[in-house]
Amino acid sequence: MSETPVQTAGSARASQPRPNAVVAVLALSGITVSLMQTLVIPIVPELPTYLHASASDAAWAVTATLLAAAVATPVAGRLGDMLGKRLMLLVSLVLLVSGSVVAALSDTLVPMIVGRSLQGLAAAVVPLGISIMRDELPPERLAGSTALMSASLGVGGALGLPAAAFIADHYDWHVLFWTSAALGVVAFALVLLLVPESRVRSGGRFDAVGALGLAVGLVSLLLAVSKGADWGWASGTTLGLFALTVVVLLAWGVFELRTDRPLVDLRTTVRRQVLFTNLASIAFGFSMFAMSLVLPQLLQLPTRTGYGLGRSMLTVGLVMAPQGLVMMAFAPISAAVTKARGPKVTLMTGAVIVAAGYGLNIVLMSEVWHLILVSCVIGAGVGFAYGAMPALIMGAVPASETAAANSLNTLMRSIGTSVASAVAGVILAQLTISLGGTTLPSENGFKVVMAIGAGAAVLAFVLASFLPGRRPADTEAAPAPAAPTAESVH
């Protein structure tokens, strides 16, 4: 896009942001939104009973969030660049609170799907937060802060699982959503009080046609990927959705290249640094989520299988929780490596660590401590990689496109996790054993998924090797936002 950033006036308070407060509030907001990933996992088996629906229908309470997030992330990013990133962050948090309240008041399927969809519409909080950091923080704080914000995606998911399991075990299931609503209100209030509105805006006209085309293409793709196993991969519905995806996204791409102010600047996205970062993000999203599918099942399967550990959902959450803490702990280390060697090296290092973690998992899977170790190693690798991605993206796009570019990168990770869920589901459904008349995933099935997770990390390493070796100028000496001038006050 060719727009010149528009400087808009803020209050006196906004002109002197407090970096520590800004980082803490934005990270809290990211963690709050990422909690939505794991919020319903402990109650998925009971959802059909709670909502008086069939198991296949109740699954839409999970799928709806995924689809809504895919649509909202690029749209909110573009609107953030145009209208103000803090404004769109606040709108996202309002949607989160609204969805949580609707879900908390639900006892049937339709309002639950509506509530979960509204929660999904808040998914752009993390890329918006990263973009605010670029605009407001001093250069020396940027790498570490964006690494922490990026890691909040995994931190919230990992820490949310034990908390959600505890609440589900001890309280009415509606408390899960009242809790998320309360967290959303706290995050909204803190953003309103402590986070300044970004003064870098692109202005321009919103590409409604582009947004609609991208929404249809993404929903078709993710719907086919997430429901293909239920409908049948060779069914007319699944194949029709894949065909619709190809046709719509091709037409969308042509339209975006011809419009003056596109939702996604495809010319920017094909720059080597942006393109290979996004491709590596898909591979990392796949690799990270593969572990999230394998470890909980290994922990919960009965010990009679010979490889299951027979543990409760609460134990699963406690085993997975250290991963989130490790990701947070490695965010500043990731930033230090990025500052010293550049984000390319950081991303490749993360890929090697994740691949090593899956290798460990193939040989160490018989004790609880084995799985804690594996999740921590993989968490360290993901912390490295997720910290490098915003630096790579922001080093290749102008400030006026930061939110849109970061949102697209977040979307690429989400596509990777969706594909991982589908692939792992197919493998574990094919490689099975029979125990007491019940069909369960086999040990070899889990090992195959782990091997594929390691392969995805190796693929991310290879893709990252094509990135430029220089450090993005943005992360080395990003100019501090200029104070509003008289001409910039509208």
Side-chain angles (χ1 to χ4, degrees):
M1 283 172 279
S2 60
E3 301 103 324
T4 301
V6 177
Q7 301 291 322
T8 64
S11 65
R13 173 187 59 79
S15 65
Q16 295 182 338
R18 290 167 282 182
N20 290 337
V22 170
V23 172
V25 171
L26 292 176
L28 173 64
S29 300
I31 291 172
T32 299
V33 170
S34 62
L35 288 173
M36 300 308 104
Q37 299 173 2
T38 52
L39 184 69
V40 298
I41 288 179
I43 62 171
V44 164
E46 288 78 31
L47 273 179
T49 302
Y50 293 155
L51 301 176
H52 312 290
S54 66
S56 59
D57 287 342
W60 284 100
V62 177
T63 306
T65 307
L66 169 70
L67 300 180
V71 173
T73 301
V75 171
R78 176 66 182 128
L79 288 173
D81 283 332
M82 290 174 54
L83 307 176
K85 303 175 183 74
R86 174 177 175 264
L87 172 63
M88 292 311 301
L89 182 62
L90 290 170
V91 169
S92 296
L93 291 171
V94 168
L95 291 170
L96 171 66
V97 174
S98 301
S100 300
V101 171
V102 171
L105 295 172
S106 300
D107 286 306
T108 55
L109 181 63
V110 172
M112 174 61 76
I113 291 175
V114 171
R116 290 288 290 164
S117 298
L118 289 170
Q119 287 182 323
L121 293 176
V125 162
V126 171
L128 287 168
I130 291 172
S131 304
I132 291 172
M133 289 175 175
R134 181 185 190 182
D135 295 343
E136 301 300 332
L137 297 183
E140 65 274 11
R141 294 291 306 272
L142 186 60
S145 300
T146 56
L148 178 63
M149 189 69 190
S150 188
S152 71
L153 278 169
V155 172
L159 298 182
L161 188 56
F166 178 82
I167 292 172
D169 283 347
H170 293 84
Y171 302 96
D172 179 80
W173 65 275
H174 294 91
V175 175
L176 288 169
F177 297 100
W178 287 121
T179 302
S180 67
L183 290 172
V185 169
V186 170
F188 178 91
L190 291 174
V191 169
L192 195 62
L193 290 172
L194 299 173
V195 176
E197 178 58 271
S198 171
R199 289 157 288 160
V200 180
R201 303 183 196 174
S202 65
R205 174 181 55 83
F206 181 69
D207 179 15
V209 175
L212 178 62
L214 183 59
V216 172
L218 288 174
V219 168
S220 300
L221 172 63
L222 295 175
L223 201 54
V225 168
S226 60
K227 304 296 285 187
D230 296 332
W231 295 338
W233 293 106
S235 70
T237 302
T238 303
L239 294 178
L241 284 170
F242 279 127
L244 179 63
T245 298
V246 173
V247 172
V248 170
L249 290 183
L250 284 175
W252 171 80
V254 171
F255 177 82
E256 292 295 280
L257 288 171
R258 293 182 176 178
T259 190
D260 291 335
R261 302 187 191 281
L263 178 76
V264 177
D265 189 342
L266 295 180
R267 293 179 179 84
T268 298
T269 61
V270 298
R271 293 175 186 169
R272 185 170 61 153
Q273 186 158 314
V274 178
L275 176 63
F276 281 98
T277 300
N278 284 333
L279 291 174
S281 297
I282 296 174
F284 259 107
F286 184 105
S287 191
M288 177 184 174
F289 202 65
M291 177 204 61
S292 301
L293 294 167
V294 168
L295 265 60
Q297 293 192 63
L298 282 174
L299 284 162
Q300 293 182 90
L301 283 173
T303 55
R304 289 178 297 151
T305 60
Y307 51 88
L309 300 177
R311 304 301 176 121
S312 67
M313 176 57 74
L314 180 58
T315 301
V316 171
L318 294 174
V319 169
M320 301 290 285
Q323 180 200 30
L325 299 176
V326 169
M327 287 180 65
M328 186 177 293
F330 270 79
I333 300 174
S334 169
V337 174
T338 294
K339 184 176 181 180
R341 303 297 301 275
K344 173 182 177 178
V345 172
T346 310
L347 186 60
M348 295 175 74
T349 301
V352 170
I353 295 172
V354 171
Y358 278 108
L360 277 175
N361 203 179
I362 293 174
V363 297
L364 296 177
M365 54 184 290
S366 59
E367 301 286 345
V368 171
W369 73 266
H370 291 171
L371 302 186
I372 295 175
L373 174 64
V374 165
S375 68
C376 287
V377 171
I378 294 176
V382 172
F384 260 90
Y386 277 18
M389 289 171 189
L392 286 161
I393 293 295
M394 292 188 295
V397 302
S400 59
E401 298 177 20
T402 303
N406 277 319
S407 296
L408 183 63
N409 182 250
T410 300
L411 177 62
M412 294 300 104
R413 300 186 220 177
S414 298
I415 290 175
T417 62
S418 300
V419 174
S421 178
V423 170
V426 169
I427 292 171
L428 296 179
Q430 294 297 319
L431 300 177
T432 61
I433 63 170
S434 180
L435 182 68
T438 303
T439 300
L440 299 172
S442 69
E443 183 178 15
N444 284 337
F446 288 119
K447 289 184 175 180
V448 168
V449 173
M450 289 180 239
I452 293 175
V458 172
L459 175 60
F461 178 90
V462 173
L463 291 168
S465 70
F466 289 97
L467 291 165
R470 63 180 176 81
R471 287 181 291 172
D474 210 45
T475 62
E476 294 182 67
T485 62
E487 290 78 15
S488 69
V489 177
H490 299 344

